[in-house]
Amino acid sequence: MTDTADTTILTEQRGHVLIVTINRPEARNAVNAAVHVGIGTALETAEADPDIRVVIVTGAGDKAFCAGADLVALSRGESLYPDNPAQQEWGFAGMVAHPISKPIIAAVNGFAFGGGCEIALMSDIIVAANHAQFGLPEVKVGLFAAAGGAFRLAQQLPKKLAMEHMLTGDPIPAARAAKFGLVNHVVPLADLMPTTLALAEKIAENAPLSVQASKRVALGIEQGRIAADAPYWEQNSRERSVLIRSEDAREGPLAFAQKRKPEWKAR
């Protein structure tokens, strides 16, 4: 096993499979700049290494896959993005705007909320522990699912169901997510990694160039971008630039950090 970003992200290669683990259980595996760099760098490594055929992304511990953005860090004025412009282009968590040809399986070991859900939505396959939950609670803290969730959830679930969960911020249990096709497999926690690894190894047994071409065609990946996503990202940027300057967007993370109910002003 090798460590990147000072053990914030752990990577381990097993045969042709690269396992990438968000290793911040004390912060519910929330995303900060180090997580962004670590995941993004791991994906770059996987894409460039012909010996790596599948990537698994998971979280440390048994409670949280990823709690999303580190709101406590945000409330302190810290950036969740690195200074390097090229790394910033990977999108939140170094992943959501960073499509690679190698298949990505999310092994969701606990709740996947906010940006954590958006990491799962960016993955090609999801295997979830039976206690896992998925959700986009950004509306509860004065933000919106600006890392792809606002359009990907509506693409990957029936639209009315996606709208209910996105607008209420209520979570989706793993079993219900599987019923509607958001999750591929739901298993007991003890079986999560064995099941995910078995699936990854089954994919890795196939011709790697064929698998990669299949993914690129299915998702419309060209030159490291999904062309169909471009209009969504453009609107996403416009909406975020307006919302982030609002009083409510400052109030939400502050109230979260202070463990109190936010006072919305709609301005």
Side-chain angles (χ1 to χ4, degrees):
M1 180 177 289
T2 58
D3 300 344
T4 60
D6 298 325
T7 73
T8 298
I9 295 294
L10 304 178
T11 60
E12 178 185 1
Q13 187 169 344
R14 296 193 192 180
H16 296 297
V17 180
L18 181 67
I19 303 171
V20 181
T21 303
I22 306 171
N23 188 39
R24 301 187 72 212
E26 75 289 347
R28 301 179 301 169
N29 296 322
V31 174
N32 59 11
V35 171
H36 179 120
V37 173
I39 293 179
T41 300
L43 296 183
E44 289 285 287
T45 298
E47 188 75 332
D49 187 346
D51 196 45
I52 297 173
R53 300 179 184 177
V54 184
V55 176
I56 294 173
V57 177
T58 193
D62 59 5
K63 292 182 172 59
F65 170 73
C66 175
D70 189 335
L71 295 182
V72 175
L74 273 180
S75 73
R76 293 194 298 257
E78 297 177 19
S79 175
L80 305 185
Y81 288 81
D83 294 332
N84 186 324
Q87 294 176 335
Q88 292 174 10
E89 291 182 2
W90 295 337
F92 178 81
M95 180 169 173
V96 301
H98 190 187
I100 63 172
S101 299
K102 310 294 176 72
I104 300 174
I105 305 176
V108 181
N109 55 300
F111 60 78
F113 291 162
C117 183
E118 290 167 313
I119 290 172
L121 291 171
M122 184 59 177
S123 302
D124 302 301
I125 295 170
I126 298 176
V127 182
N130 49 20
H131 70 292
Q133 297 183 73
F134 300 81
L136 297 174
E138 284 87 347
V139 293
K140 295 178 181 289
V141 292
L143 306 172
F144 80 103
F151 63 88
R152 288 189 175 128
L153 193 70
Q155 292 171 344
Q156 297 179 33
L157 280 177
K159 188 161 288 187
K160 294 293 191 295
L161 182 64
M163 294 302 291
E164 176 184 346
H165 285 282
M166 183 161 50
L167 299 180
T168 64
D170 289 344
I172 311 168
R176 183 167 172 79
K179 178 181 178 180
F180 289 98
L182 183 65
V183 169
N184 298 77
H185 304 280
V186 179
V187 298
L189 179 63
D191 297 334
L192 179 64
M193 286 309 295
T195 301
T196 306
L197 278 165
L199 183 56
E201 288 163 358
K202 188 172 185 178
I203 294 170
E205 289 174 357
N206 293 325
L209 298 184
S210 300
V211 168
Q212 293 160 37
S214 297
K215 175 175 173 175
R216 286 194 298 269
V217 171
L219 299 185
I221 299 173
E222 290 188 277
Q223 298 180 336
R225 294 287 182 270
I226 300 175
D229 286 354
Y232 292 108
W233 286 123
E234 290 169 6
Q235 182 180 10
N236 193 94
S237 180
R238 292 194 298 271
E239 294 283 359
R240 186 179 183 278
S241 66
V242 172
L243 183 64
I244 204 68
R245 293 195 298 268
S246 71
E247 291 183 31
D248 283 355
R250 292 189 292 273
E251 165 67 3
L254 183 61
F256 177 87
Q258 295 176 348
K259 298 181 180 180
R260 60 173 174 81
K261 187 176 180 178
E263 298 179 9
W264 305 126
K265 298 180 179 177
R267 62 175 186 244

